[in-house]
Amino acid sequence: MGRWEVVFETQDRAEFGAHLRRLQEARIDGSMIRIDTLCGRLVHQTTYRLSRFVTDPAHESARGGSGQRC
């Protein structure tokens, strides 16, 4: 149980790629990361968004987990 929390958002594709490379170098658990590309088309610019999964502390404490995985 948990939710997705936005940790980085940009309209610059190169900046987004650089941020992802830094995460790979830091060996972040990829299963806890979600990448969204919000296509803007003609009206808005495309936005790149990176989110991480945050577990529900109440659910984790009931299972005996630590709550944070990335």
Side-chain angles (χ1 to χ4, degrees), residues 12-26:
D12 184 329
R13 185 175 179 167
E15 180 182 21
F16 189 72
H19 191 80
L20 287 176
R21 281 189 294 282
R22 286 192 298 274
L23 290 177
Q24 289 172 335
E25 291 168 359

Side-chain angles (χ1 to χ4, degrees), residues 11-68:
Q11 294 178 339
D12 184 329
R13 185 175 179 167
E15 180 182 21
F16 189 72
H19 191 80
L20 287 176
R21 281 189 294 282
R22 286 192 298 274
L23 290 177
Q24 289 172 335
E25 291 168 359
R27 301 192 189 278
I28 298 297
D29 180 2
S31 68
M32 301 299 285
I33 299 295
R34 184 177 82 186
I35 298 170
D36 296 305
T37 303
L38 309 171
C39 299
R41 309 215 173 147
L42 299 175
V43 179
H44 303 285
Q45 291 183 335
T46 297
T47 300
Y48 305 94
R49 182 181 291 166
L50 180 71
S51 303
R52 70 180 178 121
F53 190 76
V54 179
T55 56
D56 177 12
H59 180 72
E60 283 299 313
S61 63
R63 290 187 341 172
S66 65
Q68 190 121 107

